[in-house]
Amino acid sequence: MDLSFNDDQKQLQDALAKYIERDYGFERRRAYQGTAEGFSREVWAQFAEMGLLSLPFAESDGGLGGGAAEMLVVMTAIGNALMVEPYLATVVLAGGAIARAGSGAQKAELLGGIAEGKLIAAAAFEEPGARFNLAHVATTAKKAGAEYVLSGSKAVVLHGGQADRLVVSARTSGNVADEKGISLFVVDRKARGVSVRDYRTIDGLRAADISLDGVHVPAGALLGAEGAAFEVIDAVADAGVAALCAEAVGVMESLNRQTLEYIKGRQQFGVPIGSFQVLQHRAVDMFIHAEQSKSMAYLAAIKAPVVENSAGPSVGEAASVKERRRSVSAAKVHIGNSGRVVAQDAIQMHGGMGMTNELAAAHYAKRLTMIDFVLGDSAHHLSRFEAA
Amino acid sequence: MDLNYSAQETAFRDEVRAFLRDNLPAEVSRKVIEHRHLKREDYMRWQDILAARGWLGGHWPKEFGGQGWNHVQAHIFDEETALAGAPRVVPFGVNMVAPVIMAFGSQQQKDTWLTGIRTNKHWWCQGYSEPGAGSDLASLKTRAELSADGTHYVINGQKTWTTMAHYADMMFCLVRTTNEKRKQEGISFLLIDMKTPGITVRPFLTLDEEHSLNDVFFDNVRVPVGNRVGEEGKGWTYAKYLLGFERTVVAALGFSKRELGTLKRIAASEMRGGRPLAEDARFSAKIALAEIELMALDMTVMRVLSSRGKAPGPEASILKIKGTELQQTITELMMEAVGPYAVPFVPEAIDGNDDGAGPAHAAPLAATYFNWRKVTIFGGSNEIQRNIISKAVLGL
Ligand SMILES: Cc1cc2nc3c(=O)[nH]c(=O)nc-3n(C[C@H](O)[C@H](O)[C@H](O)COP(=O)(O)OP(=O)(O)OC[C@H]3O[C@@H](n4cnc5c(N)ncnc54)[C@H](O)[C@@H]3O)c2cc1C
């Protein structure tokens, strides 16, 4: 057993910390968020240069073969700086699905494009009314000669409006909530019949509702075996949850640092408010929340890699799938609850300042709170934990 | 013991209900119930209706043009109007500065300002907090110096967090008139016309991107001495007197009852695992626990009301703490109820000018949740309220 980072991983951590220090201050983040796309293409190109966009993929697929530790390092850094770039959507979710299910040609084209920073991709798994159940797929894909025709709606697709390609779950057979009969397709966002309602999210990112109205895709757009995509989707979503957990830890650590600094500096009644014991104990609890969350984020990262490597469990093994689901859901529940509390207390301890849009901490608190609502909230994962 | 309202109280409640049914504009209550942003016109429209009926300040004594409602009637009015989805009466004039003017103001101040408030002519704002003086309000620094001829105070300094100062005609303001005494004794209470030269109102947004807050800067602002309430240096006493008037209003019972009803409606229409969320055992237990908290608060308010006549004491702190915590619990559950649709942020949808993403009830819920973090911060933070109980009741 060894839960430490090796030298390469520490180097990556330092490099990201330096990068953030130099190029990703909060005012930059605000500026990137305010652009038409809601993130920075320049930062994205630097991500590519640093190798982040191919980090989790196998070397045989042109990736760097990064594992749990590398993903923890990157996602925690993204949380630390509250980055708005579509890393989760493009690399972890869409990239993860392509890496797991794609053919050699698909991986070469799509993962290659992602790695170079030229291709933004997003995962369109969730549907209106599905409430986090990824087997709830009403979107249909009907075979028509050498093509498939897709029809249906996708909800709150992270960075769906900025993506060049969408990895879409659609039903090729079975009933709405069946795990069997779901397939994945790579769809061009600009294809005829795709309409996108792009919007901001309350935590400063972008998402979109997408409707597919008789969208024709070639047979080559099918990702993996027809009708057998649920296991891939489930595993990819778990890797996404693990990434979100690591991001939450980064957000929490930054937010706690900001709050601590604030209560040490803010004077009322002639003393720093941090000298009041009621605030001290709360700060201690926030610190403990962050530590426990980090532990759970480690667990999730280890159990749910973006792609399987030879050492790890493979998707098909029932026992390890069960183990993965249990651990990932446990982490999401734990971090959802901790995140809620830490965000609330951070705002409260900042007093009126915590309510202002000008203050970085308010934005950290918003992101930390909303992470619970992405890829399954605490209630969803509590049920999933019990069922696993 | 009898929990029931008396015949007169019931008759009064029915009168309020009938009035609301006939006079509360549906477009306005819809905005309130659906958590849409209210504009100045929405508040003004409703307050004009109340003023016409003589109910803006219905709890004021008759000698000042009120209806002389007792505590129970005032409570019934507050609860019924909130339940019906009426906009909250902007409290700064009617509930905050008016009692101070009644108790300590000159005859001329009473004639001018009480009439202006009662008839909805003047919008007031509260100029207490400063960047360096929040919980520790008595450390405020905004200076007021008497002019050489003794006719004016000249004000310099800054107020902050001033709610709706951008709408206000008048501000009641705490200023420092001397540095020589104990910090509480150098404070005076002034009524300031917001159009006076030298006042700058700078808006800023809260974390939900709403504009209700402002900084207010004073640069040699001349305020007639006649606009000081009571004696120079007694402002702190008057400000504390005002706090006593918040009594049961801070519990926001009507608000929480209405919002609990909204929560139940949302939970009934959202689906989880093929069934309404309201039937989900875990979620319905959360709603039930909130409802039980509400019942306890309701009974505590009733106990406070039935002991009327006693000076307002630390029970106001209990009501503030529990009332605000309950409001936050309900806003949190509403956000949880919509699951993934808590995430989209479409401000136009919150203003009611866009369908937003997902079900219509979802658009404002996360923004409301974040906005509602304020209630445990302002009006004396909940930490400060606990300090009060700790000292005043428990003797710690
Ligand atoms: C939305 C909003 C609207 C407002 N509207 C107005 C308005 O119209 N007019 C106006 O004058 N003001 C207004 N305020 C200001 C409000 O009254 C202050 O925010 C409040 O008094 C707290 O002061 P502060 O923000 O400086 O926080 P601080 O006093 O700096 O407090 C920061 C934290 O320290 C805690 N703390 C402070 N002292 C103690 C202590 N002794 N023991 C334990 N904990 C302590 C607080 O509880 C809080 O958690 C508004 C504030 C908000 C958020």
Side-chain angles (χ1 to χ4, degrees):
Chain A
M1 198 271 299
D2 178 9
L3 294 176
S4 61
F5 293 146
N6 66 28
D7 285 345
D8 287 349
Q9 292 155 354
K10 279 187 200 145
Q11 229 170 19
L12 178 65
Q13 199 171 28
D14 287 346
L16 283 168
K18 284 207 188 85
Y19 175 70
I20 290 168
E21 172 86 43
R22 202 184 52 229
D23 289 325
Y24 215 104
F26 187 70
E27 287 315 313
R28 286 278 177 87
R29 187 253 188 196
R30 198 193 289 278
Y32 299 151
Q33 188 198 338
T35 62
E37 284 195 304
F39 70 94
S40 161
R41 288 276 173 179
E42 214 174 294
V43 169
W44 197 247
Q46 280 154 345
F47 275 17
E49 216 164 282
M50 286 188 268
L52 304 184
L53 302 183
S54 58
L55 187 60
F57 306 126
E59 284 167 28
S60 53
D61 292 335
L64 298 175
E70 283 77 8
M71 291 317 283
L72 280 167
V73 166
V74 173
M75 289 310 301
T76 305
I78 285 176
N80 276 155
L82 218 59
M83 289 181 167
V84 290
E85 281 61 37
Y87 194 82
L88 177 70
T90 300
V91 177
V92 180
L93 296 176
I98 294 159
R100 280 169 184 272
S103 65
Q106 284 169 327
K107 287 196 270 193
E109 186 213 338
L110 300 169
L111 294 185
I114 289 173
E116 287 175 38
K118 288 189 180 135
L119 188 82
I120 306 285
F125 295 163
E126 288 224 24
E127 300 203 346
R131 205 182 179 89
F132 307 122
N133 176 7
L134 298 177
H136 178 116
V137 177
T139 298
T140 54
K142 299 225 164 76
K143 198 136 194 194
E147 297 187 320
Y148 287 93
V149 183
L150 275 62
S151 295
S153 305
K154 295 288 166 179
V156 201
V157 177
L158 286 177
H159 289 108
Q162 293 69 43
D164 305 297
R165 303 289 174 83
L166 301 166
V167 176
V168 177
S169 58
R171 189 163 287 291
T172 36
S173 66
N175 295 316
V176 170
D178 290 351
E179 289 182 5
K180 282 213 173 74
I182 300 170
S183 306
L184 285 176
F185 295 89
V186 180
V187 178
D188 197 316
R189 199 239 314 160
K190 297 213 174 90
R192 257 183 60 187
V194 177
S195 40
V196 175
R197 167 75 204 261
D198 170 43
Y199 44 76
R200 294 196 287 154
T201 65
I202 187 100
D203 50 357
L205 302 176
R206 290 301 189 82
D209 286 356
I210 294 176
S211 70
L212 304 156
D213 186 12
V215 180
H216 289 253
V217 298
L222 179 69
L223 205 58
E226 186 181 295
F230 181 74
E231 285 191 343
V232 173
I233 293 170
D234 193 51
V236 166
D238 274 352
V241 170
L244 281 168
C245 287
E247 182 183 346
V249 169
V251 178
M252 231 183 265
E253 288 182 342
S254 271
L255 182 55
N256 284 352
R257 203 161 42 239
Q258 292 163 43
T259 305
L260 204 54
E261 216 167 273
Y262 189 78
I263 66 172
K264 284 179 180 172
R266 169 72 173 167
Q267 299 262 332
Q268 289 287 272
F269 305 100
V271 293
I273 59 174
S275 66
F276 301 127
Q277 200 163 51
V278 63
L279 300 195
Q280 291 171 349
H281 283 192
R282 218 179 281 182
V284 169
D285 285 340
M286 290 159 77
F287 167 75
I288 295 172
H289 275 300
E291 285 300 315
Q292 294 281 82
S293 295
K294 189 183 239 179
S295 303
M296 289 308 263
Y298 276 38
L299 176 69
I302 291 165
K303 299 285 182 186
V306 176
V307 292
E308 251 67 58
N309 56 40
S310 48
S314 76
V315 172
E317 280 172 44
S320 63
V321 168
K322 199 175 145 113
E323 181 63 23
R324 186 198 76 217
R325 288 182 180 163
R326 252 176 75 81
S327 302
V328 165
S329 285
K332 192 71 170 25
V333 171
H334 197 279
I335 285 172
N337 292 336
S338 289
R340 184 88 53 96
V341 173
V342 168
Q344 290 174 349
D345 285 347
I347 293 174
Q348 183 71 20
M349 295 215 278
H350 277 87
M353 280 307 291
M355 288 297 300
T356 64
N357 205 44
E358 270 150 77
L359 189 83
H363 296 266
Y364 280 82
K366 283 192 277 186
R367 178 68 185 141
L368 188 54
T369 304
M370 299 322 288
I371 280 178
D372 190 39
F373 293 92
V374 182
L375 295 173
D377 61 5
S378 302
H380 172 83
H381 282 286
L382 190 54
S383 301
R384 191 169 178 261
F385 176 82
E386 289 170 329
Chain B
M1 282 191 161
D2 184 0
L3 189 55
N4 295 308
Y5 282 138
S6 69
Q8 292 100 310
E9 287 160 352
T10 308
F12 177 71
R13 188 190 62 194
D14 292 344
E15 189 187 350
V16 173
R17 283 185 182 168
F19 173 76
L20 287 163
R21 192 183 54 232
D22 297 340
N23 294 284
L24 175 60
E27 311 92 86
V28 176
S29 61
R30 223 185 110 201
K31 277 190 182 180
V32 172
I33 289 164
E34 294 176 357
H35 311 106
R36 310 287 161 193
H37 286 154
L38 296 187
K39 302 261 183 311
R40 183 180 194 271
E41 306 84 79
D42 298 314
Y43 290 105
M44 290 303 281
R45 186 170 170 197
W46 174 233
Q47 290 179 183
D48 278 341
I49 292 168
L50 287 176
R53 181 74 169 80
W55 283 4
L56 194 59
H59 58 293
W60 290 8
K62 288 201 165 122
E63 57 169 312
F64 297 117
Q67 305 289 333
W69 292 339
N70 61 28
H71 282 107
V72 176
Q73 287 175 307
H75 170 74
I76 289 172
F77 176 79
D78 288 340
E79 180 165 288
E80 291 299 328
T81 46
L83 274 173
R88 189 183 66 131
V89 168
V90 179
F92 306 114
V94 179
N95 294 322
M96 292 186 167
V97 74
V100 174
I101 294 175
M102 287 175 203
F104 307 106
S106 66
Q107 192 54 47
Q108 203 223 321
Q109 286 169 345
K110 289 175 189 165
D111 292 344
T112 313
W113 306 121
L114 294 180
T115 309
I117 292 169
R118 194 166 44 77
T119 57
N120 199 33
K121 206 170 112 205
H122 299 138
W123 188 303
W124 286 77
C125 65
Q126 178 187 30
Y128 280 19
S129 307
E130 298 180 4
S135 298
D136 181 14
L137 183 57
S139 69
L140 62 92
K141 289 205 176 71
T142 295
R143 284 284 293 156
E145 273 158 7
L146 215 47
S147 62
D149 60 2
T151 59
H152 286 76
Y153 286 107
V154 180
I155 321 288
N156 282 287
Q158 182 197 346
K159 296 291 171 181
T160 188
W161 316 116
T162 322
T163 301
M164 301 198 274
H166 54 300
Y167 295 157
D169 305 296
M170 294 292 297
M171 169 189 276
F172 60 98
C173 188
L174 292 180
V175 295
R176 186 162 299 286
T177 34
T178 173
N179 277 320
E180 268 136 47
K181 306 209 172 116
R182 255 181 79 233
K183 61 181 183 180
Q184 286 82 353
E185 288 163 16
I187 294 172
S188 300
F189 195 109
L190 299 185
L191 310 177
I192 303 177
D193 186 332
M194 291 297 282
K195 284 188 284 298
T196 319
I199 296 180
T200 308
V201 176
R202 190 189 70 98
F204 59 87
L205 301 182
T206 40
L207 76 177
D208 55 333
E209 298 189 12
E210 199 195 338
H211 173 211
S212 67
L213 298 181
N214 305 274
D215 288 317
V216 181
F217 299 92
F218 298 88
D219 180 15
N220 289 317
V221 174
R222 290 170 62 84
V223 177
V225 167
N227 280 23
R228 186 190 68 222
V229 175
E231 292 174 45
E232 189 175 281
K234 287 275 174 66
W236 187 252
T237 317
Y238 307 151
K240 288 189 84 169
Y241 173 84
L242 188 159
L243 292 179
F245 279 85
E246 300 213 332
R247 247 162 96 96
T248 61
V249 182
V250 294
L253 264 185
F255 171 91
S256 286
K257 286 183 181 175
R258 184 187 75 223
E259 292 298 303
L260 189 78
T262 306
L263 168 63
K264 287 180 179 177
R265 276 200 307 279
I266 293 173
S269 73
E270 290 287 331
M271 301 296 281
R272 180 163 193 265
R275 292 213 331 258
L277 184 63
E279 291 170 20
D280 178 83
R282 265 200 287 263
F283 198 79
S284 71
K286 287 187 188 179
I287 298 180
L289 288 172
E291 188 159 3
I292 291 166
E293 275 298 317
L294 178 60
M295 287 167 75
L297 185 67
D298 201 351
M299 278 308 288
T300 305
V301 167
M302 291 302 143
R303 284 175 54 216
V304 171
L305 288 172
S306 89
S307 70
R308 67 178 163 263
K310 258 176 55 186
E315 70 264 25
S317 294
I318 301 179
L319 298 183
K320 165 74 174 27
I321 292 168
K322 298 313 287 183
T324 52
E325 287 177 355
L326 178 61
Q327 292 169 49
Q328 290 184 337
T329 300
I330 296 173
T331 59
E332 188 168 338
L333 290 177
M334 285 195 281
M335 175 172 74
E336 273 179 44
V338 295
Y341 285 112
V343 175
F345 181 56
V346 184
E348 304 77 37
I350 303 177
D351 286 329
N353 301 324
D354 186 290
D355 289 340
H361 59 235
L365 296 180
T368 303
Y369 166 80
F370 287 113
N371 184 280
W372 236 254
R373 304 316 306 169
K374 70 189 174 188
V375 297
T376 49
I377 295 169
F378 64 29
S381 76
N382 284 21
E383 287 76 16
I384 295 297
Q385 302 295 345
R386 285 188 164 89
N387 287 350
I388 290 171
I389 295 175
S390 161
K391 231 187 239 146
V393 185
L394 308 182
L396 293 170

